[in-house]
Amino acid sequence: MKKIYHLSSCTTCQRIIKELDIDSDFELQDIKTQKISADQLEEMKNLSGSYESLFSRRAIKYKELGLKEKVLSEDDYRDYILSEYTFLKRPVLLIDGAIFVGNAKKTVENAKKALGK
């Protein structure tokens, strides 16, 4: 399975999709218009190891809600991601049983290798 969870209005997501030369084999899901389900998030968590690894601390709401001052549990991370799309670190690429989370250069390079590029 090849899938990308992204935000269509995010220029970084657009750049990475273009850089990876994503073809029609991929299913693209814009997390703003098509919310991620609990099952989808559970699958991502099983591949990545934790909800925290999928959580974006760069989200504006992270600061607005004062989450930096709180100690969050795995359940908290899960609930925040499900309640607000901006809390999902983007993009998330699922490539044949492997997961690539975020836009770090090394993550994008590893995704390229997984695609054979």
Side-chain angles (χ1 to χ4, degrees):
M1 179 176 107
K2 294 181 179 177
K3 184 163 187 167
I4 299 178
Y5 297 94
H6 70 107
L7 195 55
S8 62
S9 59
C10 171
T11 55
T12 302
C13 288
Q14 292 170 2
R15 177 185 54 78
I16 291 170
I17 289 169
K18 188 174 183 177
E19 185 177 332
L20 294 175
D21 193 25
I22 298 304
D23 56 28
S24 60
D25 290 352
F26 273 86
E27 178 185 343
L28 274 73
Q29 181 172 333
D30 184 343
I31 59 173
K32 186 174 184 177
T33 58
Q34 186 183 353
K35 283 190 162 243
I36 55 173
S37 69
D39 288 342
Q40 288 173 323
L41 184 58
E42 184 70 20
E43 177 188 18
M44 288 185 252
K45 179 248 185 191
N46 290 338
L47 290 169
S48 70
S50 69
Y51 292 117
E52 183 178 7
S53 66
L54 300 166
F55 187 82
S56 173
R57 289 180 172 78
R58 291 182 174 181
I60 294 170
K61 290 203 174 213
Y62 181 72
K63 291 177 184 157
E64 285 178 359
L65 297 174
L67 299 180
K68 188 175 185 179
E69 288 77 40
K70 296 181 182 178
V71 176
L72 300 177
S73 68
E74 277 292 289
D75 286 340
D76 292 331
Y77 289 121
R78 177 186 180 278
D79 294 343
Y80 279 117
I81 293 169
L82 288 174
S83 69
E84 182 63 47
Y85 69 88
T86 61
F87 285 123
L88 181 67
K89 195 181 287 186
R90 320 176 284 278
V92 175
L93 291 88
L94 303 180
I95 303 171
D96 302 327
I99 190 167
F100 304 91
V101 181
N103 56 34
K105 190 172 187 167
K106 186 173 182 175
T107 302
V108 176
E109 289 301 318
N110 288 335
K112 273 185 188 176
K113 288 178 188 169
L115 292 170
K117 297 183 180 188

